[in-house]
């Protein structure tokens, strides 16, 4: 029986050598594959593979910093401007010593319908859609775009024609002209009215009840006028930028993403292929391989560790040769992006064994098992 198994093993090896080397002996044994290039058309060019080097890591870091700096340049406001009156706001106007100008009942009848409620609206003067307010003796005043102080000064000038030294108090009683929207992993998502307190990013998060435990602090997206800005709270603090200096404007939409949306997929010849959740937007290539059990010592090829990334300019592929000096340091410095795919290719010996198993299913295992029996 042992001689039969050895004979079978030698026969399999001879057949493999004949298939692999038959073309070199004269070409008669070569397996010809049908040419389907004319039928299917030319294959698309594969993305160019970039080797992970210290220069590449430095260039990637510089690009991230430049993108973050450009975003902050449009958003950070050191000295927020005062609130400006807008259409829909309700003003409280008092002219001292003239109670007949108190303005009771001058609220527009549609104010409650605009607010979407059936409660009695507060008494005051509503700024109409043209930004004007009707006031006795003063007529129609264009107050939209003015601060409270500017509006009070304008009304005082108009009333001075009919009242000697009018003493006017004007303030916004109900803020309804400017809003932002909070969404995602916050405790109280929804609309927030902008009032006399500057609506900064921190103010909006606090009004929304703070972040949920599942929130990703590195992926806070601000949408403004068809533009999207990605904000990283931890990165802002590390750079010395106060998130309270990021001023939100009317119509802004702030979405806090979940950590489950920021995953990295590790597959191929690793001990445990899995999907990994990033740690607040941070996960290095070394950490991804470590949490997956590392490269398989039996079948993995340490020279072929790939990172596949879908970018705006197309698919990008990075390769790391883990056998080189300093490879572990480069893997630790190479930061992954959400939805990256880390793939470890199989070694040539593993590919040879799998190819043999496809040609002769179970034959090699049976033959080796018989030869090793006592």
């Amino acid at each position: 029986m042992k001689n039969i198994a050895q004979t079978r093993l030698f026969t399999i090896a001879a057949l493999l050598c004949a298939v692999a080397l038959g073309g070199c002996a004269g070409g008669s044994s070569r397996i010809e594959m049908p040419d389907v290039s004319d039928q299917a058309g030319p294959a698309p060019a594969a993305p160019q593979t970039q080797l992970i080097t210290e220069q590449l890591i430095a260039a990637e870091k510089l690009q991230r910093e430049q993108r973050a700096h450009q975003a902050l340049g449009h958003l950070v406001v050191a000295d927020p401007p005062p609130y400006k009156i807008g259409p829909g706001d309700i003003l409280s106007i008092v002219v001292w010593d003239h109670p007949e100008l108190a303005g009771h009942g001058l609220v527009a009848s549609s104010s409650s319908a605009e607010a979407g409620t059936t409660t009695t609206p507060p008494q005051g003067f509503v700024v109409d859609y043209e930004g004007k307010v009707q006031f006795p003796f003063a007529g129609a005043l264009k107050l939209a775009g003015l601060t409270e102080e500017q509006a009070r000064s304008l009304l005082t000038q108009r009333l001075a024609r009919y009242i000697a030294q009018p003493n006017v108090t004007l303030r916004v009683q109900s803020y309804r002209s400017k809003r932002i929207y909070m969404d995602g992993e916050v405790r109280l998502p929804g609309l927030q009215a902008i009032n006399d307190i500057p609506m900064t990013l921190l103010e909006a998060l606090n009004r929304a009840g703070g972040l949920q435990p599942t929130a990703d602090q590195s992926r806070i997206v601000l949408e403004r006028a068809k533009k999207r800005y990605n904000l990283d709270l931890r990165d802002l603090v590390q750079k010395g930028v106060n998130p309270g200096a990021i001023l939100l404007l009317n119509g802004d939409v702030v979405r806090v993403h979940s950590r489950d949306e920021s995953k990295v997929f590790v597959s191929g010849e690793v001990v445990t292929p899995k999907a990994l959740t990033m740690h607040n937007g941070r996960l290095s290539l070394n950490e991804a391989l470590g949490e997956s059990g590392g490269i398989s010592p039996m079948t993995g090829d340490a020279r072929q560790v790939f990172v596949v990334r879908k970018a705006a300019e197309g698919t990008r592929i990075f390769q790391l040769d883990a056998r080189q000096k300093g490879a572990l340091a480069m893997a630790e410095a190479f930061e992954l992006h959400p939805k990256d795919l880390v793939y470890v290719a199989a070694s040539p010996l593993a590919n040879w064994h799998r190819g043999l198993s496809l040609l002769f299913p179970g034959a090699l295992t049976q033959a080796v098992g018989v030869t090793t029996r006592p």
Side-chain angles (χ1 to χ4, degrees):
M1 180 65 68
K2 184 175 182 179
N3 293 333
I4 295 175
Q6 291 177 347
T7 303
R8 183 181 298 175
L9 180 61
F10 293 149
T11 303
I12 293 173
L15 288 174
L16 287 176
C17 292
V19 172
L21 304 177
C24 299
S28 59
S29 301
R30 182 186 300 273
I31 299 178
E32 297 292 341
M33 299 298 294
D35 187 7
V36 296
S37 59
D38 296 337
Q39 302 176 4
Q48 185 178 3
T49 302
Q50 299 176 270
L51 294 178
I52 297 178
T53 60
E54 294 182 356
Q55 292 77 10
L56 175 65
I57 294 174
E60 290 285 316
K61 182 179 180 180
L62 180 61
Q63 291 180 0
R64 289 194 303 270
E65 292 179 352
Q66 289 178 348
R67 288 194 296 265
H69 179 72
Q70 291 175 357
L72 293 178
H74 296 283
L75 303 178
V76 174
V77 177
D79 188 12
Y83 181 85
K84 293 183 179 181
I85 300 171
D89 287 341
I90 299 179
L91 306 181
S92 173
I93 302 176
V94 177
V95 181
W96 296 95
D97 296 331
H98 292 274
E100 69 278 7
L101 302 180
H104 293 295
L106 294 181
V107 177
S109 59
S110 61
S111 61
S112 59
E114 293 174 357
T117 62
T118 58
T119 58
T120 303
Q123 296 293 332
F125 296 85
V126 176
V127 182
D128 63 16
Y129 68 97
E130 294 182 345
K132 297 181 180 180
V133 170
Q134 295 286 342
F135 195 82
F137 298 119
L141 295 177
K142 182 67 177 294
L143 301 183
L146 303 180
T147 64
E148 291 182 350
E149 182 61 28
Q150 292 171 342
R152 187 194 67 81
S153 177
L154 177 60
L155 180 58
T156 301
Q157 293 176 5
R158 290 289 186 90
L159 294 179
R161 303 173 183 176
Y162 308 96
I163 302 174
Q165 297 181 350
N167 186 8
V168 179
T169 298
L170 184 149
R171 63 182 181 85
V172 180
Q173 186 172 347
S174 181
Y175 298 88
R176 306 191 308 173
S177 63
K178 302 176 181 64
R179 301 177 182 179
I180 67 163
Y181 186 79
M182 294 292 299
D183 189 21
E185 300 300 311
V186 292
R187 300 184 185 277
L188 299 174
L191 289 172
Q192 296 183 10
I194 299 178
N195 53 23
D196 55 333
I197 300 176
M199 180 63 77
T200 63
L201 179 60
L202 285 184
E203 178 69 18
L205 291 175
N206 289 333
R207 292 189 189 182
L211 299 175
Q212 295 277 16
T214 56
D216 187 351
Q217 298 183 17
S218 67
R219 296 191 65 197
I220 299 179
V221 178
L222 169 61
E223 296 184 4
R224 173 184 297 173
K226 298 182 180 180
K227 292 185 179 180
R228 179 173 296 182
Y229 304 93
N230 296 317
L231 305 177
D232 186 341
L233 285 184
R234 295 184 57 187
D235 188 59
L236 293 177
V237 174
Q238 291 177 359
K239 292 180 179 180
V241 178
N242 182 10
I246 298 178
L247 186 65
L248 303 182
L249 304 180
N250 180 38
D252 284 353
V253 178
V254 180
R255 175 175 175 80
V256 182
H257 286 267
S258 172
R259 288 201 301 249
D260 292 336
E261 301 177 20
S262 305
K263 287 188 176 182
V264 171
F265 306 95
V266 184
S267 63
E269 305 304 320
V270 292
V271 177
T272 309
K274 61 174 62 176
L276 302 175
T277 302
M278 305 184 74
H279 311 299
N280 285 325
R282 295 290 185 270
L283 188 68
S284 66
L285 177 58
N286 194 29
E287 291 173 336
L289 293 173
E291 294 187 22
S292 301
I295 302 174
S296 174
M298 300 297 295
T299 59
D301 188 354
R303 300 171 301 176
Q304 301 186 69
V305 179
F306 298 97
V307 177
V308 182
R309 176 176 301 164
K310 189 66 175 180
E313 62 273 13
T315 302
R316 303 182 64 186
I317 302 178
F318 307 93
Q319 180 180 358
L320 174 69
D321 186 353
R323 302 192 311 174
Q324 293 183 352
K325 293 182 179 179
L328 294 180
M330 288 188 293
E332 181 62 29
F334 187 81
E335 293 190 8
L336 300 175
H337 292 188
K339 307 300 182 181
D340 276 358
L341 171 63
V342 180
Y343 178 80
V344 180
S347 64
L349 181 59
N351 288 328
W352 178 85
H353 181 271
R354 291 168 182 170
L356 180 61
S357 301
L358 292 175
L359 290 175
F360 306 97
L364 181 60
T365 304
Q366 295 176 5
V368 174
V370 172
T371 57
T372 55
R373 292 175 184 173

